[in-house]
Amino acid sequence: AEDSFSPAALVVTASDSEVTPGTSVGFSTNAVLHYKTGSLLGKATDVQFVPIQTNWSFGDGSNSAGASANHAFSGFGRFEVSATVLIR
C-alpha cells in the first residue's frame, strides 16, 4: 500500500514589481519546515518536509542559490522569476 504526500504550494515574492535596470530586487519564498498528515496502511502518519536548498532562475539567463536572493536586471523587459526548492 502506498499514499502520496505533497509539500505546501510554493509562493515566490519580490520586494518590488517594477524596477529600474541595475536596481537590486529581493526575492524570497514561503518554503519552511512543515508537516502533512495522511494515512498509510490505515494509520495516521505525519510526513516532515524540510527545505534544504533553493535554486533561482531570473528569466534573463542568470541563476542563484539560497533561501532568498537579490538580483539586478540589466535592462527593461518582462522577466519570469522561478524558484525550485529541494526538500528531504
Side-chain angles (χ1 to χ4, degrees):
E2 63 182 69
D3 201 344
S4 176
F5 296 89
S6 298
L10 184 66
V11 176
V12 173
T13 56
S15 60
D16 199 346
S17 62
E18 293 186 31
V19 297
T20 304
T23 303
S24 185
V25 180
F27 297 94
S28 61
T29 72
N30 63 334
V32 294
L33 166 70
H34 64 283
Y35 298 86
K36 289 283 183 114
T37 301
S39 177
L40 186 61
L41 299 174
K43 305 225 184 236
T45 303
D46 287 328
V47 175
Q48 179 181 16
F49 293 95
V50 180
I52 57 173
Q53 183 176 342
T54 303
N55 296 316
W56 295 91
S57 175
F58 298 107
D60 63 356
S62 298
N63 300 297
S64 182
S68 60
N70 290 301
H71 184 68
F73 297 94
S74 61
F76 289 100
R78 199 171 170 96
F79 302 96
E80 184 174 326
V81 176
S82 63
T84 303
V85 177
L86 303 175
I87 56 174
R88 68 170 166 96

